[in-house]
Amino acid sequence: PWKVTAASCTCSQTANQLSSSLLSNSSGLTSSPSDTTYPYLGCYVDKWNRDLNDGFLSVETAVNPVETCVAFCRKRLGASAFYIGLQAGRECFCGAAWKAPGGYGKVAEKECNRDCAGNKKIKCGGSWRNNVYQIPSDYKYLGCFQDDWIRDLPTGFAIVASEDPVNACAENCVRLYV
């Protein structure tokens, strides 16, 4: 749904009160994710220096480990929770940002072969492998506002090129404060 070649992104305030403004050279940026499912990004390598290192929860008894992990990460990180990873059949990891796009690297789905302990119908990663999901933002489009060289949101600036520029901009802003 997002069609962006490049956009500018400005930030202000703190991670707890994150504000972001998206100024784009494209149209159609007013849509927002509304479905209740979380986009699955794939199976990714993890290492001792965790790729998603902003929170941990055991989901060993969770019937719906994805929803349980998302709820925990949102409670812990608020609107800056962008990614979850399920690992080793029972572990949930939160991430406000990935260390690098794709983290330590994407691998074949067969490497994320562990059933979730609380629900054998769902895969929960593998040994040092995360099933990674993206948490769509809750950011709301407020309209198009004129800006000038005295920035309305003066704390940070970045050019983002993304299929999801709202989350890319917000992730960039979070990195300024985390």
Side-chain angles (χ1 to χ4, degrees), residues 9-10 18 20 24 26 33 36 38 46 65 74 83 92 99 103 105 107 136 141-142 156-157 159-161 167 170 175:
C9 166
T10 56
L18 180 65
S20 64
S24 173
S26 299
T36 59
Y38 301 98
D46 201 9
R74 281 245 166 113
Y83 304 101
C92 156
K99 292 187 186 325
V107 293
Y141 179 73
L142 300 178
F157 174 82
I159 300 294
V160 295
N167 272 335
R175 284 186 180 136

Side-chain angles (χ1 to χ4, degrees), residues 8-88:
S8 64
C9 166
T10 56
C11 314
S12 183
Q13 300 302 317
T14 65
N16 292 335
Q17 297 175 335
L18 180 65
S19 298
S20 64
S21 168
L22 186 65
L23 310 170
S24 173
N25 60 1
S26 299
S27 61
L29 296 179
T30 61
S31 63
S32 63
S34 62
D35 45 13
T36 59
T37 60
Y38 301 98
Y40 176 67
L41 302 180
C43 180
Y44 289 85
V45 173
D46 201 9
K47 295 185 179 180
W48 185 253
N49 185 17
R50 297 289 183 189
D51 197 20
L52 302 171
N53 63 356
D54 295 313
F56 168 80
L57 175 72
S58 172
V59 291
E60 192 162 357
T61 60
V63 174
N64 191 334
V66 175
E67 292 288 337
T68 301
C69 190
V70 167
F72 167 76
C73 294
R74 281 245 166 113
K75 184 175 181 180
R76 180 173 173 82
L77 299 173
S80 64
F82 292 118
Y83 304 101
I84 65 157
L86 298 174
Q87 187 177 129

